[in-house]
Amino acid sequence: MTSHRDISATPRRQPGEPHRLDLADSSVLRHLWELQRAAYAVEAELIGFDGIPPLHETLQELCGCTESFLGVSDEIGLAGAVSWTRLHDGALDICRLVVHPRAHRRGIATALLNSLDVMEPADVTLVSTGTANQPALALYRKRGFTPTSRRQIAPGVTVTLLERKTDDSPDRLPIQKS
């Protein structure tokens, strides 16, 4: 049995490459469900609101969602994931971006978003996050997203909607297709 002390004493390796997640695989589904519960618990604390829908989602609800998923694993297991849908107008809608608390500040969110940019190029990309979730807002702003509106989801709690248009991001590196 490995103790938490043993894990923290182990040198941290870089996370693996992002890969598609198959939610039909019950093991993958359970690991994703556990990951998002851990990640959204952190966001719930940051924004002062625990009514975030994926925090309370069942395995069956997650399995039935129509989103596509990429994941990144580290030495312990699934460490991060991003999901998206393509809207009717061609815009890419990022639905979830979750990183396990044990893996914060290791570049996992950036790696996932970089892979998503390459795999699913879009003229317009949309995302939303809790307005009080400053780390997420900083990440999205750094990637060329600009806030477009705020929506109140509960008394005193708002979500910021952000958008990135490829021509609005002169500092972004061009996406290279292989």
Side-chain angles (χ1 to χ4, degrees), residues 85-126:
T85 60
R86 186 66 71 163
L87 302 179
H88 295 293
D89 63 2
L92 187 72
D93 187 12
I94 299 173
C95 305
R96 313 166 199 237
L97 177 60
V98 291
V99 175
H100 197 284
R102 73 167 187 268
H104 284 175
R105 315 249 347 127
R106 290 174 58 192
I108 291 173
T110 297
L112 287 163
L113 292 172
N114 286 345
S115 289
L116 183 58
D117 281 346
V118 171
M119 290 176 60
E120 294 286 336
D123 291 334
V124 176
T125 304
L126 308 169

Side-chain angles (χ1 to χ4, degrees), residues 15-27:
E17 289 295 314
H19 56 279
R20 286 204 179 257
L21 299 179
D22 178 6
L23 302 192
D25 179 322
S26 61
S27 177

Side-chain angles (χ1 to χ4, degrees), residues 7-157:
I7 291 170
S8 63
T10 304
R12 290 187 174 200
R13 291 180 291 199
Q14 290 293 70
E17 289 295 314
H19 56 279
R20 286 204 179 257
L21 299 179
D22 178 6
L23 302 192
D25 179 322
S26 61
S27 177
V28 170
L29 177 65
R30 176 155 298 277
H31 287 110
L32 176 61
W33 181 75
E34 291 168 352
L35 164 65
Q36 81 173 18
R37 288 179 57 85
Y40 283 119
V42 171
E43 182 170 14
E45 186 154 329
L46 284 172
I47 69 173
F49 177 69
D50 71 353
I52 302 168
L55 185 58
H56 303 285
E57 191 171 45
T58 66
L59 280 168
Q60 294 76 21
E61 290 167 335
L62 178 58
C63 185
C65 80
T66 59
E67 302 158 28
S68 298
F69 287 83
L70 285 177
V72 168
S73 296
D74 65 8
E75 64 277 2
I76 297 172
L78 190 61
V82 63
S83 75
W84 70 95
T85 60
R86 186 66 71 163
L87 302 179
H88 295 293
D89 63 2
L92 187 72
D93 187 12
I94 299 173
C95 305
R96 313 166 199 237
L97 177 60
V98 291
V99 175
H100 197 284
R102 73 167 187 268
H104 284 175
R105 315 249 347 127
R106 290 174 58 192
I108 291 173
T110 297
L112 287 163
L113 292 172
N114 286 345
S115 289
L116 183 58
D117 281 346
V118 171
M119 290 176 60
E120 294 286 336
D123 291 334
V124 176
T125 304
L126 308 169
V127 69
S128 63
T129 191
T131 303
N133 187 345
Q134 292 303 312
L137 287 172
L139 172 69
Y140 294 129
R141 284 187 177 119
K142 182 177 176 183
R143 297 188 64 82
F145 286 84
T146 56
T148 58
S149 64
R150 284 189 184 165
R151 186 178 67 223
Q152 183 171 344
I153 57 171
V157 181

Side-chain angles (χ1 to χ4, degrees), residues 123 144-146 163-172:
D123 291 334
F145 286 84
T146 56
E163 176 182 87
R164 180 184 68 196
K165 294 183 179 178
T166 53
D167 57 276
D168 283 351
S169 308
D171 295 335
R172 288 187 65 235

